[in-house]
Amino acid sequence: MRGVVLLSGGIDPVSGRPAVPRGEVAAIGLALSAGGAVGGLHVGEGSVAQRQAGGYGLERVDCLRGGGDAVAILAAHLSAPPPDLVLAGSRACGGEDSGMLPYLLAERLGWPLLAGVMAIGAVADGWLSVTIGLPLGARQEARIRLPCILCAHDAAPAPPFVFDRARRVVVRTVDVSDAPPVPVVEGVERPYRARPRLIGSAGPGGGGTVLENPEPAEAARVLLAHLRALGMLGSSEGASIDA
Amino acid sequence: MTGRPRRDPRAERARCLVPGGVRPRLVRAGWDGVLTAEAGPRPPAVVCIEEPAFWVAAIVETPEGRPDRWGRQVLGAARVLAGAEGGVVALVTGVEAGHGVGEGGADRVVVLDIAIGPEAMPGVMLAALAPFAPRHVVMAETPAGGDWARRLAARSGWSIQAGIEMLNARQALRPVGAMRRERAAAPARVLTVPIDRVAPYGGMRREGRGCVPPDVPVLEARVQVGPVVLAQAAEMPLAEAPFVMAAGQGVRDFDSFHALSRFLGATEGASRVVCDAGLMPRGAQVGASGTVLDARCYLAFGIAGAPQHLQGLGKVEHVVAVNTDLHAAIVARAGLAIIADAQAVMPALLDLLREEG
Ligand SMILES: Cc1cc2nc3c(=O)[nH]c(=O)nc-3n(C[C@H](O)[C@H](O)[C@H](O)COP(=O)(O)OP(=O)(O)OC[C@H]3O[C@@H](n4cnc5c(N)ncnc54)[C@H](O)[C@@H]3O)c2cc1C
């Protein structure tokens, strides 16, 4: 299977230096787990971040140099001989960071897309089975028709970084024809200012109930009633049998 | 002299004075409220709107039948964008959906089938939204909501602002450039809100009139999703677990602790001292140098609540503590604190659970 990982050329949120975003590292891990040749694809000039992506296991990174809409450039490049699998992170880190690129690409190529992928399974009859990660550790099995686009879950297992591989990765620059320009984004941009979240029922709310030196049985009763009221004991029936 | 009419405070006072009573009582809201209030409780008023100037859509997930905190915030954001003239239509996905959506601020409600797959969702949403031609569509930046919003924007070509952190009718603000910069712009057609960024609607109840959902266009499915498998508490990653039960220095009876965690279906955590002593694996450490929890409930046995430990509880909604020290920091953070010996409470709780079967 031929896999392609989309690299955004991100920056580190703290230092601002080029770095591979967490989600793209996870995407490289997924691509490697699927087996076969895995290459990276980046629209724009190559930077240190593309070499670093090599350190996570990519053999080759192609940098597509051409002006205009990145989606159009990628779509043209990917449809020449289409790969089986295109992987991306959940969102870029250092640009618009909207997470729209894989969706626009899927729409343009007419390929199916799944987001939040935790693991990749086997291929059968042109269908790839994947595991999707949901909140609170829940998982969902899914099947998707190849060729397809998958967005990696940020918590998907990340491959280790090997410095020597980062030195040996082949970064190629490919000149492509210009695509139509993207409309300019409006608005004023300025340095980020952290704003406090709304204070709701969550968070450190002092002044709870305090029960001083109760009998153990009384304490147990109150505790159990409290946990029940919070709805935390719904799914424990299965667990209580083998305990 | 300006042409503005002058106030007459005496006349105003006379108008506001309620007759009867020993001491003078002024009601500034006018007569209506006073008379009806004395006539008996009024049914809660409901705002009905027939032909709003424009529509704003909110897409609300209701996993438990009614919108949760996040869902109410999505409705609140839609109300902000709708202002006084606009109407809010809520597309609700979930079982027994539609309850509490009017209180949340929706004028119309369309219930969508929860079984619609991710691939068919944008088509169904566009069909449901078509009669309203909404000026904006607001969703939650949940895994599902974020996915739908992007699919919808990609399919329709509408502009999108994902993860907005501040919103009013004229501008939306979102971080860009790896959270190092932010951009303020006029609200886009599609918006997603993270949790606790926009206040829920606090005004008078809205009608929430039900509308017929559209016929689902049958699509050649290229994606098949299976059922959701809930995680087993024991093997769940600590960072994702909804219910964590943790041991501190005050726990010596680890057999009861492990038995209890199995019974309650809780994931096990520990304070650093316990991990340092080798009584629990390092992966179980909660706190600044361990795992930061995303749990809904945290049950702490014999944990003092050092600042480094409490940092790991950042987002936890409900903390329950069992500790011998009334003045421990964890007691101040807890919704329920039991001042007792953990070695006595744990077996008692086990007995009670066994008794109940
Ligand atoms: C740089 C740094 C990083 C750190 N990072 C972390 C971290 O990530 N996570 C972390 O947990 N700690 C961390 N610590 C350590 C932290 O400061 C505390 O030392 C530690 O959390 C205390 O653990 P404890 O509450 O279990 O123990 P103690 O402080 O000893 O508290 C024990 C508590 O149990 C109660 N108790 C005693 N006997 C009983 C009984 N029989 N029944 C019920 N209650 C009883 C006591 O009243 C007391 O409140 C860090 C410290 C440093 C300096």
Side-chain angles (χ1 to χ4, degrees):
Chain A
M1 192 151 59
R2 199 162 79 83
V4 169
V5 179
L6 304 181
L7 301 171
S8 67
I11 58 171
D12 185 274
V14 180
S15 69
R17 304 220 309 255
V20 190
R22 175 77 190 76
E24 283 165 32
V25 175
I28 295 173
L30 288 179
L32 293 174
S33 76
V38 180
L41 201 55
H42 171 68
V43 179
E45 300 283 340
S47 79
V48 193
Q50 275 73 54
R51 290 220 153 263
Q52 279 183 17
Y56 289 104
L58 296 181
E59 288 159 22
R60 217 181 66 186
V61 177
D62 288 346
C63 297
L64 307 180
R65 194 167 55 187
D69 186 6
V71 176
I73 292 179
L74 280 172
H77 187 82
L78 285 172
S79 54
D84 301 301
L85 195 60
V86 173
L87 289 121
S90 51
R91 56 170 70 189
C93 201
E96 190 58 22
D97 299 0
S98 63
M100 275 304 288
L101 182 124
Y103 289 86
L104 292 170
L105 191 59
E107 202 63 38
R108 172 146 331 193
L109 290 171
W111 291 6
L113 174 147
L114 271 178
V117 177
M118 272 284 189
I120 292 187
V123 183
D125 307 330
W127 289 83
L128 175 71
S129 60
V130 298
T131 308
I132 295 172
L134 298 174
L136 301 180
R139 297 284 180 270
Q140 193 171 28
E141 295 297 326
R143 298 198 324 140
I144 184 167
R145 185 119 219 148
L146 291 173
C148 65
I149 300 186
L150 302 178
C151 298
H153 196 289
D154 278 348
F161 180 81
V162 179
F163 183 70
D164 184 46
R165 279 202 291 215
R167 278 199 334 183
R168 281 188 291 130
V169 62
V170 183
V171 179
R172 254 189 352 156
T173 304
V174 184
D175 282 307
V176 294
S177 49
D178 285 0
V182 276
V184 265
V185 270
E186 302 156 19
V188 273
E189 208 179 299
R190 51 185 180 231
Y192 180 72
R193 186 161 72 82
R195 288 176 175 72
R197 285 176 181 271
L198 295 182
I199 301 163
S201 54
T209 325
V210 179
L211 207 63
E212 271 187 80
N213 302 318
E215 286 300 308
E218 164 74 2
R221 208 183 44 69
V222 172
L223 217 99
L224 203 59
H226 187 71
L227 292 177
R228 281 242 162 82
L230 295 180
M232 296 319 299
L233 300 185
S235 57
S236 64
E237 278 81 2
S240 61
I241 295 161
D242 59 346
Chain B
M1 288 290 284
T2 61
R4 205 152 48 129
R6 296 188 59 178
R7 280 184 59 206
D8 180 357
R10 283 196 190 78
E12 273 175 25
R13 191 187 136 92
R15 263 204 306 279
C16 296
L17 196 65
V18 180
V22 186
R23 298 171 59 201
R25 193 172 142 232
L26 302 181
V27 175
R28 304 234 175 247
W31 278 102
D32 286 4
V34 184
L35 293 178
T36 41
E38 279 164 7
R42 254 199 306 191
V46 178
V47 182
C48 298
I49 189 163
E50 278 311 321
E51 287 290 327
F54 61 93
W55 288 100
V56 175
I59 293 177
V60 186
E61 298 161 62
T62 57
E64 280 146 15
R66 49 176 49 248
D68 58 0
R69 185 157 57 111
W70 207 340
R72 289 197 302 276
Q73 291 171 1
V74 168
L75 285 166
R79 273 261 67 99
V80 166
L81 292 168
E85 287 100 63
V88 170
V89 51
L91 300 197
V92 185
T93 66
V95 276
E96 298 177 49
H99 299 289
V101 185
E103 286 94 323
D107 299 298
R108 301 284 186 279
V109 181
V110 183
V111 178
L112 297 183
D113 187 356
I114 195 169
I116 298 169
E119 221 197 349
M121 201 45 131
V124 175
M125 282 181 180
L126 282 174
L129 293 176
F132 298 96
R135 195 179 275 188
H136 303 282
V137 184
V138 192
M139 293 184 217
E141 185 66 47
T142 53
D147 185 53
W148 293 337
R150 289 178 178 86
R151 283 180 199 272
L152 186 70
R155 175 71 50 89
S156 59
W158 292 345
S159 60
I160 179 170
Q161 284 163 349
I164 51 173
E165 299 204 337
M166 205 207 65
L167 178 72
N168 57 42
R170 267 162 297 107
Q171 72 169 14
L173 202 137
R174 65 178 292 264
V176 294
M179 297 278 288
R180 290 162 65 84
R181 304 188 62 75
E182 63 186 23
R183 181 175 315 119
R189 192 90 189 259
V190 182
L191 301 125
T192 67
V193 284
I195 194 159
D196 288 344
R197 287 298 185 185
V198 183
Y201 174 62
M204 243 198 297
R205 193 188 147 153
R206 294 274 166 163
E207 189 186 3
R209 187 194 306 166
C211 300
V212 236
D215 278 337
V216 182
V218 187
L219 215 102
E220 181 215 356
R222 296 169 303 173
V223 174
Q224 299 168 350
V225 285
V228 175
V229 183
L230 296 179
Q232 283 293 312
E235 57 235 32
M236 205 182 295
L238 199 54
E240 293 179 50
F243 182 18
V244 177
M245 168 177 156
Q249 182 99 291
V251 172
R252 290 183 303 280
D253 180 4
F254 275 90
D255 292 337
S256 298
F257 181 77
H258 295 312
L260 193 58
S261 79
R262 263 206 311 278
F263 250 115
L264 294 175
T267 310
E268 291 184 359
S271 74
R272 173 160 156 186
V273 193
V274 174
C275 296
D276 283 352
L279 294 166
M280 290 280 282
R282 179 62 73 195
Q285 181 177 322
V286 174
S289 43
T291 304
V292 177
L293 302 181
D294 194 18
R296 234 165 67 69
C297 179
Y298 183 69
L299 174 56
F301 286 102
I303 288 181
Q308 294 89 352
H309 187 84
L310 290 185
Q311 271 175 42
L313 307 190
K315 286 182 278 180
V316 179
E317 219 163 307
H318 307 288
V319 175
V320 181
V322 178
N323 199 307
T324 44
D325 180 7
L326 175 60
H327 303 290
I330 191 102
V331 174
R333 172 75 166 81
L336 171 67
I338 291 175
I339 310 303
D341 187 350
Q343 271 58 241
V345 174
M346 286 192 297
L349 198 52
L350 271 175
D351 286 344
L352 188 62
L353 282 165
R354 287 209 182 96
E355 213 173 277
E356 291 184 359

